[in-house]
Amino acid sequence: MTNKLYKHDVYLKTCESTILEIIDKNSGTDNSSCLILVLDKTIFFPTGGGQPCDLGTINGISVIDVFEENDIVYHVLEDDDMHMGSCSPSPAQMFQKGQTVKLSLDWDRRFNNMQKHCGEHILSGIFYSELNGVNRGFHMGDSYMTLDIDIKDITWEQAMKIETLANKVIWSNTPVITRYFEKRKDAENLPLRKPLSLEENISIVCVGDINNPADCVACCGTHPSTAGQVGIIKILKLEKYKGMTRVYIKAGQGALLDYQNKNDIITALNNKYSSSDDDLIDKIKIQDEKNKVIRQELHEIKTLLITNYVSDIKNDYANENYYKSSNAIILTKKYDNLKINDLLNIGKQAAPYIKGLLLLICTKENTLILFSDGSHDCNKLVKENAPIYNGKGGGNKNNARAIFNKYEYIDTFIDLLCKHLR
Ligand SMILES: [Zn+2]
């Protein structure tokens, strides 16, 4: 059994331990290997109870994972990949059974995890005392945490009230005390938020006065000694989840970073809209309205433009302004500033006037759109001829498109069609 020093002093950042066992392991898939150390005592908290494991170093070598099995804590170290080609010894050569080693925690990560974990306790405790909502699932991610509270509809107003109460617990800087009990019956009389699931060796975390706690629950994680160290709790959003409410939260350093990030975003938006925090939303709405009017005007102008282009096509047919052979009439039009959808619109409106083939070129997108009066099969013409110039596409008998990777290929393709239909 590993002596878990973090259970008695979560503020230990370094310690010396003795190696009891060394496991050299090939992780297999990429030929990488790892080294696992079992020590007589440790300051490294292993993954468990929803809290990620601690990281840090042992004799300067990075600890990349820490896990626990049957009360033994396993420290996974980065192995020799980093030392390939180096003259210095690999981690496997650096350690031996019985050796004294120095453990050093990544304290920022641990403290951050303690802030998050304790923040979750306080918030869960207040959801329970205020709404009788039980936290049925907890996830602590790198960027946010989630609590699944077993109430179907929690309003934003309720959540904000609970958030304020939770932050008041933080401001009270009430103690956070972990008590250890050998037997279940000794812990059962505490004002627990959840029934106990263990029979023995139970840790109970209590935030505040044991007679009227902000939270009191069995937990094996690490927590700061006072609520004030959590810093801040912020609820980000609520989501319906399997008949419950999933609450997204941040606490401690993560909440501060989030505030800094959001403040930067709001400042950038205020600069863009010449606004202040108070009238930003109004100014965005005004800009949206202006954009709507501009889009409508643009639509009207485009409609007029397309009508004119259709009229040009009609005139070209009337004046026989097209390529003509014994087998085909081909009218080609080129557009530099329109999109494919606009060309499809032109073709659709010009349909009653089409003789033979109408070819519309979209120079912006290296695309040729073919329309037919029924005398030619557009799809067949594209499928049979476009691949000669690395083109692709297709469609149906009366309308198809051919897309090329170079504009020049469109001209060559049209030449080929003219020869083909001579
Ligand atoms: Zn906890």
Side-chain angles (χ1 to χ4, degrees), residues 244-308:
M244 301 186 282
T245 303
R246 177 161 280 186
V247 185
Y248 288 77
I249 64 168
K250 286 193 186 241
Q253 194 187 336
L256 173 67
L257 292 174
D258 189 51
Y259 187 87
Q260 289 171 337
N261 183 37
K262 282 176 179 156
N263 189 60
D264 287 349
I265 293 170
I266 297 289
T267 304
L269 286 171
N270 279 334
N271 288 338
K272 180 175 159 67
Y273 289 99
S274 306
S275 59
S276 66
D277 290 6
D278 295 333
D279 64 358
L280 173 62
I281 299 290
D282 288 341
K283 294 235 171 147
I284 289 176
K285 277 183 188 161
I286 291 168
Q287 191 58 49
D288 281 350
E289 279 304 313
K290 281 184 186 168
N291 290 347
K292 217 168 132 186
V293 172
I294 291 168
R295 275 202 301 276
Q296 182 57 31
E297 281 177 8
L298 187 67
H299 174 73
E300 284 164 13
I301 291 168
K302 227 173 192 181
T303 306
L304 192 65
L305 189 68
I306 286 173
T307 308
N308 284 340

Side-chain angles (χ1 to χ4, degrees), residues 205-224:
V205 178
C206 181
V207 181
D209 183 351
I210 191 77
N211 297 310
N212 182 27
D215 192 32
C216 183
V217 73
C219 181
C220 65
T222 55
H223 315 83

Side-chain angles (χ1 to χ4, degrees), residues 49 51 114 117-118 120-121 138 178 193 205 215 217-223:
Q51 185 173 326
M114 291 189 346
H117 197 102
C118 192
E120 179 259 329
H121 275 289
F138 166 55
T178 305
R193 167 158 60 87
V205 178
D215 192 32
V217 73
C219 181
C220 65
T222 55
H223 315 83

Side-chain angles (χ1 to χ4, degrees), residues 24-35 61 64 77-86 88-93:
D24 204 346
K25 218 174 177 180
N26 280 314
S27 57
T29 49
D30 54 357
N31 287 331
S32 65
S33 60
C34 63
L35 194 69
I61 304 297
I64 54 173
L77 300 189
E78 192 175 71
D79 201 8
D80 52 9
D81 283 6
M82 301 292 287
H83 293 73
M84 293 278 269
S86 155
S88 57
S90 72
Q93 296 164 317

